Amino acid sequence: MRVVRQELSTTSYALLGLLVFDGTPSDGMTGYELKQRADKTLRFYWVSPAMSQVYTELGRLEHLRLVSVTPERAGRRKAQRYRITDVGFAELHQWLAATEPEFPVLKHPTALRLLMGGLLGADRAHSLLAGYLEQLAERRKSLLAVRDSLGDAEALRYPAMVADWGLRYYDSEADIARDLITRLPPAEARPPEPSDRT
Amino acid sequence: MRVVRQELSTTSYALLGLLVFDGTPSDGMTGYELKQRADKTLRFYWVSPAMSQVYTELGRLEHLRLVSVTPERAGRRKAQRYRITDVGFAELHQWLAATEPEFPVLKHPTALRLLMGGLLGADRAHSLLAGYLEQLAERRKSLLAVRDSLGDAEALRYPAMVADWGLRYYDSEADIARDLITRLPPAEARPPEPSDRT
DNA sequence: TGTAGCATGTAAGCCGTTACATGATTGA
DNA sequence: TCAATCATGTAACGGCTTACATGCTACA
């Protein structure tokens, strides 16, 4: 029953994938909820699309019959609930099974700036890396909360594996950044190492 | 001498940065050469823009007087050589000194697919990770060649540090991927196929 | 009573890609 | 001489963001 062949973007498939794991079966999710879930999970290894993009994407998926929409019945506030259709599931499965993953794309503003560290001197290079360590600690905290919420249930084995992947990635980045700091040339008056402090 | 304030993209600054390190001083680079350099270095922690984008970007930078152009004099084939101007250098320095780096963006197609590993089963999840390990090995080789070419010269200290960062990142990814493979469920415990085929 | 959160969308516009188009030079 | 590489661009378009616009509901 191949219906579509319209080349969806990876982000489309990612959102479709999130719809598979809606909590209470076939309850569906609103665009708003989908965005929240993307903020919690997708953003760690893909991107979390803007609200407007989520709605645009849902519109496209619905047009292709990969998701179905039902207006929220009265009682609660009005909302469109989306759930994945059989066709959508088949399409997602086909994508997963048949497409070769590209190599990851990393946009690393800190590394990019460090490359030009020579223009700046060790002081600024140090603060670049120190700032990155702080960002990492913060991100790690968010991801750890997600990972904890997944627990060890068999049903969530793969999401848990991916969350662990992320955590180890952040740890590795922190290791490397700390190491690079020790390799900076001695600066005349560099502020003390952030050993104590918060 | 603040002239510009036109909000350049990070990619613009990245290309401007590459122009700083042109080999023989003030020889300048052609768009073509700039693209080649981006392929060799920038792509590991940012992106390597398409050829057409390089020319577009150079046009913009020239319009803003951040780079100057001189047509290649006879002898060799005709080409435009670009070099960074004093204004461009000041602008780049200002950007480096004053802007806070964003947290990196990672688009990781393999992790994204692994998240939905439950739909695929351990076999495919395994081949996903094995394929990623191969890609990593290949990328690492390219980056190692770049790193070796940088040597230990003081002038290239920062580029070398960033290359080492990349190498350690790839090694960490490989460690994690190998580890995740061991955590896959035994292959015969395959989840239900979604209603055979299309 | 008012503000934060829920909920849905449209419009303008940037960044970047692929496809297309052109032509010179080098070397097998 | 023919293909690969050098070299430069334009056009069309996709994906995604920000800004804008609207309105309801829970609760402090």
Side-chain angles (χ1 to χ4, degrees):
Chain A
M1 196 216 295
R2 178 87 299 118
V3 181
V4 190
R5 282 318 64 185
Q6 157 91 27
E7 287 334 328
L8 292 172
S9 70
T10 302
T11 298
S12 295
Y13 287 109
L15 292 178
L16 210 46
L18 288 185
L19 280 175
V20 172
F21 299 108
D22 60 350
T24 49
S26 76
D27 200 28
M29 299 173 74
T30 67
Y32 194 89
E33 288 166 351
L34 195 56
K35 164 66 173 163
Q36 288 183 314
R37 183 162 305 183
D39 282 341
K40 268 201 176 179
T41 64
L42 222 49
R43 85 167 209 267
F44 293 105
Y45 41 83
W46 193 248
V47 286
S48 189
M51 210 51 259
S52 65
Q53 173 74 357
V54 170
Y55 287 115
T56 303
E57 219 60 73
L58 283 172
R60 182 188 347 258
L61 293 173
E62 199 239 320
H63 184 75
L64 296 171
R65 310 288 158 185
L66 304 182
V67 302
S68 63
V69 204
T70 39
E72 181 91 274
R73 46 259 172 233
R76 284 172 284 183
R77 77 186 65 202
K78 75 174 180 339
Q80 309 292 313
R81 296 211 157 259
Y82 295 86
R83 69 183 77 73
I84 191 168
T85 63
D86 289 346
V87 180
F89 192 85
E91 177 66 25
L92 179 63
H93 193 274
Q94 149 77 18
W95 176 75
L96 276 174
T99 62
E100 285 309 305
E102 302 280 293
F103 194 80
V105 171
L106 178 63
K107 291 190 168 195
H108 204 312
T110 300
L112 178 63
R113 283 170 177 77
L114 186 62
L115 179 80
M116 313 178 207
L119 306 185
L120 286 172
D123 280 355
R124 173 70 179 146
H126 182 279
S127 81
L128 229 37
L129 288 167
Y132 182 46
L133 283 171
E134 277 175 43
Q135 291 179 328
L136 275 170
E138 207 173 317
R139 275 284 172 128
R140 194 189 195 285
K141 228 173 99 182
S142 313
L143 183 51
L144 184 58
V146 173
R147 201 273 165 258
D148 284 342
S149 77
L150 292 172
D152 290 324
E154 177 58 29
L156 299 175
R157 166 181 226 131
Y158 287 98
M161 283 172 67
V162 174
D164 287 337
W165 187 340
L167 290 171
R168 288 190 57 184
Y169 164 56
Y170 289 154
D171 290 341
S172 161
E173 284 286 284
D175 281 348
I176 297 169
R178 276 188 292 262
D179 222 70
L180 289 173
I181 285 177
T182 70
R183 283 174 57 186
L184 291 172
E188 321 72 50
R190 181 128 35 82
E193 295 287 318
S195 45
D196 37 28
R197 308 192 349 119
T198 54
Chain B
M1 203 216 285
R2 178 85 301 119
V3 181
V4 191
R5 284 316 64 186
Q6 157 90 27
E7 287 334 326
L8 292 172
S9 69
T10 302
T11 298
S12 295
Y13 287 109
L15 292 178
L16 210 46
L18 288 186
L19 280 175
V20 172
F21 300 108
D22 61 349
T24 49
S26 76
D27 199 28
M29 299 172 74
T30 67
Y32 194 89
E33 288 166 350
L34 194 56
K35 163 68 173 165
Q36 288 182 314
R37 183 162 304 184
D39 282 341
K40 267 201 177 178
T41 64
L42 222 49
R43 87 167 207 267
F44 293 104
Y45 40 83
W46 192 249
V47 285
S48 189
M51 212 48 261
S52 66
Q53 173 73 357
V54 170
Y55 288 115
T56 304
E57 218 61 72
L58 284 172
R60 184 193 339 262
L61 292 174
E62 199 239 321
H63 183 75
L64 296 171
R65 311 288 159 185
L66 304 182
V67 302
S68 63
V69 203
T70 40
E72 180 92 274
R73 45 260 173 231
R76 283 172 284 183
R77 77 183 69 201
K78 75 174 182 338
Q80 310 291 313
R81 296 210 158 260
Y82 296 86
R83 68 183 79 71
I84 190 167
T85 63
D86 289 346
V87 181
F89 191 86
E91 177 67 23
L92 180 63
H93 194 276
Q94 149 77 17
W95 175 76
L96 276 173
T99 62
E100 285 309 307
E102 304 280 293
F103 193 79
V105 171
L106 178 63
K107 289 188 168 194
H108 203 313
T110 300
L112 177 63
R113 283 169 177 77
L114 187 62
L115 179 80
M116 312 177 209
L119 305 186
L120 286 171
D123 281 355
R124 172 72 179 144
H126 183 280
S127 80
L128 228 37
L129 289 167
Y132 182 46
L133 283 171
E134 277 176 42
Q135 290 178 328
L136 276 170
E138 206 172 318
R139 275 285 172 127
R140 194 189 194 285
K141 228 174 99 183
S142 312
L143 182 51
L144 185 58
V146 173
R147 201 272 165 258
D148 284 343
S149 77
L150 292 172
D152 291 323
E154 177 59 28
L156 299 175
R157 167 182 225 129
Y158 287 98
M161 282 172 66
V162 174
D164 286 337
W165 187 340
L167 290 171
R168 288 190 57 185
Y169 163 56
Y170 290 155
D171 289 341
S172 161
E173 284 286 285
D175 282 348
I176 297 170
R178 276 188 293 263
D179 222 71
L180 288 174
I181 285 178
T182 70
R183 283 174 57 187
L184 289 172
E188 75 276 3
R190 190 113 36 85
E193 289 287 315
S195 67
D196 43 54
R197 296 262 315 124
T198 57

